[in-house]
Amino acid sequence: MPRENIERAISRATSKEYTNADHVVYEGLGPHGVALIIECLAYNKNRTVEALRNRFNRMGGVMTPVAYMFGRMGRICFAVTESSPDGSFGAMFEHAIDLGAEDVVDLGPGRAELICQFSDLGPIAKALSKQHAYSIESMEGVYLLNTTVSISDLKELDSVFKT
């Protein structure tokens, strides 16, 4: 790709014309009844929804409300090292539950994932990183399923990810 095309795209993206993009959320069912929530940053909502509708149609899905199948939660991934003041997973678990976490999962040596209410994400992350010196690897809002769909055939699973 020519350098001037790249520079033109960067200048267009950083111009004031594109600073008023909207955060939009679309919902639908994909192949084999897999529920999807799609978050977009859209400069033109009409073009975005039309592109998504076409994509859903091509993959055999439908745009329909599915948010009731999900819970909006917060997820924080921490590095838990022995050099931390309370360097064990057990200590991290105790601190997190005391602060209001709903679940803490050991991701292997030196890593833990915490699930909490979305509204508690900031206060819990702040408390664990400042008071207990755990280092945050990532922090985000996620949609976690309340129900699941089982896909037994690998071809079905592959068709969900290819679309």
Side-chain angles (χ1 to χ4, degrees), residues 64-82:
T64 186
V66 295
Y68 67 91
M69 296 180 186
F70 294 86
R72 183 75 164 148
M73 305 296 282
R75 177 172 51 196
I76 308 168
C77 290
F78 285 96
V80 182
T81 62
E82 295 302 322

Side-chain angles (χ1 to χ4, degrees), residues 11-12 15 56 60 64 121 126 136 141 147 155:
S11 67
R12 198 172 351 144
S15 72
F56 270 99
T64 186
L121 184 61
K126 187 176 182 180
I136 298 174
T147 60
K155 289 181 182 177

Side-chain angles (χ1 to χ4, degrees), residues 140-154:
E140 61 187 344
V142 295
Y143 293 96
L144 295 180
L145 277 169
N146 298 329
T147 60
T148 58
V149 173
S150 80
I151 297 178
S152 56
D153 186 12
L154 290 178

Side-chain angles (χ1 to χ4, degrees), residues 9-78:
I10 291 171
S11 67
R12 198 172 351 144
T14 57
S15 72
K16 290 185 180 182
E17 177 184 349
Y18 288 101
T19 58
N20 57 357
D22 296 315
H23 175 258
V24 291
V25 179
Y26 298 102
E27 309 168 33
L29 288 173
H32 312 290
V34 175
L36 302 169
I37 293 184
I38 302 164
E39 291 186 342
C40 303
L41 188 61
Y43 303 112
N44 183 332
K45 290 182 190 178
N46 293 332
R47 186 175 12 174
T48 304
V49 73
E50 189 59 34
L52 282 172
R53 189 175 288 121
N54 287 337
R55 188 68 175 183
F56 270 99
N57 289 339
R58 272 188 278 148
M59 69 180 183
V62 61
M63 290 183 74
T64 186
V66 295
Y68 67 91
M69 296 180 186
F70 294 86
R72 183 75 164 148
M73 305 296 282
R75 177 172 51 196
I76 308 168
C77 290
F78 285 96

